[in-house]
Amino acid sequence: MPQEVKHSGLGIMEDHPHSRMVLWHMTAFDNIAFSLSSKVPFLWLRRKLQHSLRQEMASLCGEDLWDSTLRTLSLMQLQKLAYCKWILYRPHAMVCLDPFTGMDSQIDQVTEQMIQEMLRRDIAVLIVSTYLPTSGLTGKTGYLWDGEFTKT
């Protein structure tokens, strides 16, 4: 994570995070641990912390992806992993840039579930998007859409 994020408590999720925000040459665990290493020193050496992290990651992703290489994961699993990195990092607020495609309902559903999880964990979310899901998110969410800011 960039130093600005570490100190400001603000996270930014770009569009298509399943292809942009993962480190392809690493395992799922390494992707998470690399992101958290600036916040939790020596994460790779702390077995108890790794065990807790593995359980949390499995509960967020719905399965144990710990040792999986990214090339073996589906798009939905990669999407979950990208959001999981931020949920476990626990910023105060997230800015999600075009999180919904409007073209792949399964990816949009996973995205909505992960944003709802952020909200359940008291991470405020600002969605900057050209497309909004029809189901509607509830909680500490704001939308910047068509030049207008809307708070839910």
Side-chain angles (χ1 to χ4, degrees):
M1 301 287 159
Q3 288 294 54
E4 309 85 60
V5 173
K6 183 179 178 184
H7 297 297
S8 72
L10 177 68
I12 298 174
M13 178 70 76
E14 296 182 54
D15 60 334
H16 307 291
H18 58 269
S19 61
R20 292 178 171 209
M21 300 194 73
V22 292
L23 303 169
W24 288 100
H25 63 286
M26 296 181 166
T27 65
F29 165 71
D30 290 339
N31 267 269
I32 300 292
F34 183 77
S35 298
L36 289 174
S37 64
S38 66
K39 195 172 185 179
V40 183
F42 306 108
L43 176 64
W44 278 282
L45 302 175
R46 299 164 91 182
R47 294 236 185 259
K48 285 184 181 181
L49 190 55
Q50 286 181 22
H51 179 72
S52 296
L53 188 59
R54 183 179 195 143
Q55 289 179 321
E56 187 74 12
M57 193 172 142
S59 74
L60 285 170
C61 293
E63 57 193 303
D64 189 354
L65 304 176
W66 190 261
D67 295 316
S68 302
T69 58
L70 299 192
R71 300 209 186 280
T72 64
L73 301 179
S74 70
L75 282 179
M76 290 194 315
Q77 290 169 319
L78 289 169
Q79 188 82 346
K80 285 180 182 180
L81 179 65
Y83 277 90
C84 185
K85 284 169 51 171
W86 280 110
I87 291 169
L88 294 172
Y89 194 83
R90 299 191 197 291
H92 297 294
M94 279 296 299
V95 176
C96 298
L97 305 174
D98 272 330
F100 303 106
T101 66
M103 302 221 184
D104 187 332
S105 62
Q106 289 181 323
I107 292 290
D108 285 350
Q109 185 177 19
V110 165
T111 301
E112 192 171 331
Q113 289 169 356
M114 298 308 280
I115 290 173
Q116 286 287 14
E117 185 61 35
M118 287 179 177
L119 296 170
R120 273 192 287 284
R121 293 170 184 249
D122 289 326
I123 300 171
V125 178
L126 173 64
I127 297 171
V128 180
S129 183
T130 56
Y131 173 82
L132 296 177
T134 55
S135 61
L137 293 163
T138 57
K140 293 191 317 187
T141 307
Y143 295 99
L144 185 58
W145 186 63
D146 200 24
E148 301 277 328
F149 179 74
T150 306
K151 187 176 173 186
T152 60

